[in-house]
């Protein structure tokens, strides 16, 4: 099973400005791209999980805290599962890979933050969206 991981990007600066890049990210599996902008920095969008689909996240404006957890049972998940936490900032073109089998909770850290989301299935190609109440998992504070 794959584990979530950051694919590190980089930044080059000279007298012309900045160039953000991620030469280690293979986008060949991507079929769909969309953006998330939370209503404010207190709102946590989640928990949304995918049993089949993968996601890749990258902050294109501002920064985000991304919380992930591995779902053990899609009908009745363990409420005390470990929650992993990652931070994505737009000053880097880092990409967070989220393998199938995980649920996410997304929180903007800065007003106006924008998160690019990439998926490996087209919209409607598979029925694979699971939602859990934000307070379902006990370790989320």
């Amino acid at each position: 099973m794959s584990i979530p991981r950051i694919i590190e990007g980089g930044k080059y600066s000279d007298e012309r400005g900045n160039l953000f890049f991620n030469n280690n990210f293979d986008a060949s599996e991507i079929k769909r791209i969309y953006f998330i902008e939370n209503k404010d920095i207190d709102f946590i969008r989640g928990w949304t999980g995918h049993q089949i689909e993968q996601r890749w996240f990258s902050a294109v404006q501002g920064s985000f805290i991304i919380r992930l957890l591995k779902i053990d049972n899609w009908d009745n998940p363990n409420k005390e599962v470990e929650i992993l936490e990652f931070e994505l900032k737009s000053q880097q073109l880092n990409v967070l890979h989220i393998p199938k089998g995980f649920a996410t909770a997304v929180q903007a850290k800065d007003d106006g933050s924008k998160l690019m989301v990439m998926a490996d299935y087209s919209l409607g190609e598979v029925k694979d969206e699971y939602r859990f109440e934000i307070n379902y998992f006990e370790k989320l504070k």
Side-chain angles (χ1 to χ4, degrees), residues 32-46:
R32 181 165 59 105
I33 296 174
Y34 57 94
F35 293 88
I36 292 173
E37 291 181 75
N38 282 359
K39 65 180 183 176
D40 58 45
I41 61 173
D42 296 319
F43 178 73
I44 302 173
R45 180 185 298 265

Side-chain angles (χ1 to χ4, degrees), residues 5-18:
R5 68 183 177 98
I6 295 284
I7 304 164
E8 291 192 23
K11 176 181 170 183
Y12 173 79
S13 299
D14 65 16
E15 68 280 352
R16 299 170 292 173
N18 298 315

Side-chain angles (χ1 to χ4, degrees), residues 3-138:
I3 58 171
R5 68 183 177 98
I6 295 284
I7 304 164
E8 291 192 23
K11 176 181 170 183
Y12 173 79
S13 299
D14 65 16
E15 68 280 352
R16 299 170 292 173
N18 298 315
L19 176 83
F20 298 88
F21 60 90
N22 193 318
N23 296 332
N24 298 313
F25 174 55
D26 177 1
S28 62
E29 295 182 82
I30 306 302
K31 290 188 174 181
R32 181 165 59 105
I33 296 174
Y34 57 94
F35 293 88
I36 292 173
E37 291 181 75
N38 282 359
K39 65 180 183 176
D40 58 45
I41 61 173
D42 296 319
F43 178 73
I44 302 173
R45 180 185 298 265
W47 291 98
T48 303
H50 301 281
Q51 191 172 10
I52 300 168
E53 297 180 74
Q54 302 177 79
R55 293 284 191 277
W56 293 264
F57 289 176
S58 186
V60 295
Q61 188 171 320
S63 62
F64 286 86
I65 296 294
I66 310 296
R67 294 178 182 94
L68 306 173
L69 48 87
K70 177 75 175 138
I71 301 294
D72 61 340
N73 178 325
W74 292 93
D75 295 320
N76 187 25
N78 179 356
K79 292 183 177 190
E80 296 181 9
V81 66
E82 177 186 10
I83 296 174
L84 306 173
E85 188 170 292
F86 296 88
E87 184 173 359
L88 294 174
K89 299 177 181 182
S90 61
Q91 296 89 347
Q92 304 159 289
L93 193 56
N94 289 346
V95 176
L96 173 61
H97 174 234
I98 303 158
K100 63 184 177 180
F102 284 82
T104 61
V106 174
Q107 184 174 14
K109 287 188 65 183
D110 305 307
D111 289 326
S113 292
K114 187 182 290 188
L115 185 70
M116 180 171 59
V117 181
M118 298 165 275
D120 62 345
Y121 283 84
S122 299
L123 189 62
E125 186 175 351
V126 292
K127 187 175 186 239
D128 186 43
E129 186 169 278
Y130 297 83
R131 293 185 185 266
F132 306 96
E133 293 296 321
I134 197 64
N135 294 324
Y136 180 88
F137 299 99
E138 294 177 3

